[in-house]
Amino acid sequence: CAAQPDGSVKRALFAAARRPADPAGPTRSVEIGDGDVARYGVALSSHALRDSVWMAADSGRLDGRLLWLELARRLPSPYDAAPLFLYGWCSWRAGNGALAGIAAERAVQSDPTYSAADLLLAALARGLDPRRLPKLRLPRSA
């Protein structure tokens, strides 16, 4: 796992995930430059940052599905695994299990050791209802 990214990358990533899509755009995508795509891809390879984003998404503080989808489209393997997982998790919480399964399977294809995607696939295989699963929390630091 990569070193913890600096706070400016984390703030920028959270801001980009909260930015609404262009409603006039035909694909409802987010505008993001190549430099930011690379920066966010590397940053999300940090499990600590990915988990912070995951918990924020799970609690409803951000969705970011359009950003995760754009990053997944433009990042090479294995850097696309984190955005694919985040897209899948947010889709599952929104009630779209089929889309969640496709995204999680693609994350595992990109990085066979990506255990967060395995967790999502297990939840889908067991038919867990995303509305009944408690929101996730990071453990408190010592």
Side-chain angles (χ1 to χ4, degrees):
C1 137
Q4 175 67 22
D6 68 42
S8 66
V9 174
K10 182 177 180 179
R11 285 188 297 278
L13 181 61
F14 271 73
R18 288 187 178 108
R19 192 175 314 132
D22 177 5
T27 60
R28 289 191 28 91
S29 66
V30 295
E31 292 292 323
I32 182 171
D34 292 340
D36 284 334
V37 168
R39 198 165 63 128
Y40 297 158
V42 170
L44 285 169
S45 68
S46 158
H47 290 173
L49 179 62
R50 188 271 330 262
D51 289 353
S52 293
V53 171
W54 182 12
M55 296 307 114
D58 196 61
S59 70
R61 293 188 324 244
L62 67 91
D63 183 312
R65 276 183 282 178
L66 292 175
L67 175 62
W68 313 141
L69 190 58
E70 184 67 15
L71 291 174
R73 274 186 345 91
R74 293 173 59 189
L75 288 166
S77 296
Y79 293 98
D80 60 347
L84 283 164
F85 162 71
L86 291 167
Y87 183 77
W89 187 268
C90 292
S91 296
W92 178 66
R93 280 295 198 181
N96 193 334
L99 199 52
I102 291 167
E105 286 173 4
R106 284 204 43 216
V108 171
Q109 287 171 352
S110 176
D111 182 354
T113 66
Y114 207 78
S115 58
D118 288 331
L119 177 72
L120 178 54
L121 288 170
L124 289 163
R126 286 166 179 74
L128 295 180
D129 184 344
R131 296 166 299 185
R132 299 190 64 150
L133 184 73
K135 301 299 181 191
L136 303 175
R137 296 179 311 191
L138 289 173
R140 292 181 187 233
S141 299

